[in-house]
Amino acid sequence: MPTDSPQPAFVLVRPQMGENIGAAARAMWNFGLDRMRLVAPRDGWPNPKSVAMASGAGRLLDEATLHGDLADAVGDCSYVFATTARQRGLTKPVFSPERAMALAAEKIAAGEKVAVLFGPERAGLENEDVARANAIISVPVNPEFASLNLAQCVLLTAYEWRRQVSEVQHEVTEMGRADWASTLEVEKLSEHYEERLQQAGFFFPPEKAENMKINLRNLWSRMRLTRADVQMLHGVMRQMVRWKERGD
């Protein structure tokens, strides 16, 4: 059964290859989308070639609805986007995928039904298809090579939908089994190094010593150290001192 999450319907208009339908299903499910509608697939439906490419997203293919024409596929929707990379000579708002999916999220949250149209692989949507849409989604691609694979276009749009409806961590550090060192632990490390370097005569000449110590403390605070890092650096200094004492 489809998930209960509010989402747009992705409508593949006259898709040609079963493999691309399967790849589009996989791309949709990567980002939590499972409402696929198919309009007059060239090779009929169901298509066994789509199953292998779906790679775990076969449920979407089982639940995809089949429609004879575009009017039937989007008849229950109040807002429709058409994806295209070509100028169409039609007066319509044109959105980036990011802005389009933000608008889709707003409309769906308000109770509307939204669809996104994707054209056949050979030449994309026809002007007659685009004319049925309320707005265009245009991907900022290389103008000298603007053609996108069907599944690629689906993936780009699905990714932007996911960004709008879930919190995306734009940067994260994998900690493994480590914990960040506390300020006190870093302070003790700094004191340990400062003490040993003082004994070694590192802070020279005397008039520069205070500034050198400040720079060293700034180095420790600028580095994001784990507790394991701190323990290792303590061990490095202790071993260096032992080595020096053995050498004496």
Side-chain angles (χ1 to χ4, degrees):
M1 294 292 291
T3 62
D4 293 330
S5 63
Q7 59 180 270
F10 276 24
V11 183
L12 309 191
V13 182
R14 299 182 300 279
Q16 295 171 297
M17 299 178 63
E19 293 89 341
N20 283 333
I21 298 173
R26 179 177 181 178
M28 288 175 63
W29 191 229
N30 280 150
F31 298 102
L33 292 164
D34 61 1
R35 313 288 165 77
M36 177 183 279
R37 301 181 184 185
L38 301 172
V39 177
R42 183 190 66 182
D43 297 334
W45 193 257
N47 187 326
K49 292 183 179 179
S50 67
V51 177
M53 286 299 295
S55 188
R59 179 178 65 81
L60 271 73
L61 303 177
D62 294 337
E63 296 164 358
T65 57
L66 181 62
H67 304 267
D69 57 39
L70 181 55
D72 180 61
V74 299
D76 63 335
C77 297
S78 58
Y79 202 89
V80 178
F81 293 97
T83 60
T84 179
R86 294 186 286 121
Q87 296 293 325
R88 297 296 184 153
L90 300 172
T91 302
K92 285 187 185 295
V94 179
F95 298 110
S96 68
E98 179 180 14
R99 178 65 188 116
M101 290 302 95
L103 181 59
E106 293 172 10
K107 290 184 174 297
I108 290 171
E112 295 189 53
K113 287 189 175 182
V114 175
V116 183
L117 310 183
F118 300 88
E121 297 90 320
R122 183 180 60 81
L125 295 167
E126 300 291 342
N127 273 14
E128 183 180 348
D129 303 319
V130 178
R132 291 183 178 276
N134 301 99
I136 288 171
I137 298 175
S138 181
V139 179
V141 294
N142 176 5
E144 297 181 6
F145 190 63
S147 177
L148 277 177
N149 174 273
L150 171 60
Q152 290 174 325
C153 191
V154 168
L155 184 131
L156 278 169
T157 310
Y159 166 70
E160 292 297 348
W161 168 259
R162 185 74 172 184
R163 289 185 62 211
Q164 300 306 320
V165 298
S166 63
E167 186 159 348
V168 177
Q169 290 184 307
H170 293 286
E171 183 175 342
V172 64
T173 300
E174 294 289 346
M175 292 299 294
R177 298 179 181 177
D179 294 319
W180 292 120
S182 68
T183 302
L184 178 60
E185 288 167 330
V186 175
E187 178 68 21
K188 293 297 183 182
L189 177 68
S190 177
E191 291 174 358
H192 183 191
Y193 270 69
E194 188 173 310
E195 177 186 349
R196 292 304 187 181
L197 291 171
Q198 181 75 46
Q199 292 171 356
F202 175 78
F203 299 111
F204 183 85
E207 61 271 19
K208 294 185 178 180
E210 190 59 34
N211 195 48
M212 292 172 70
K213 292 177 181 179
I214 291 173
N215 286 340
L216 183 61
R217 286 177 177 268
N218 188 52
L219 169 67
W220 297 125
S221 64
R222 195 169 66 244
M223 296 169 62
R224 195 79 195 273
L225 299 172
T226 66
R227 286 179 172 173
D229 295 333
V230 169
Q231 292 169 2
M232 182 185 69
L233 289 167
H234 276 301
V236 167
M237 181 55 78
R238 283 193 291 265
Q239 190 61 29
M240 292 297 291
V241 170
R242 293 192 192 103
W243 174 77
K244 176 64 171 61
E245 290 173 348
R246 286 198 300 270
D248 291 343

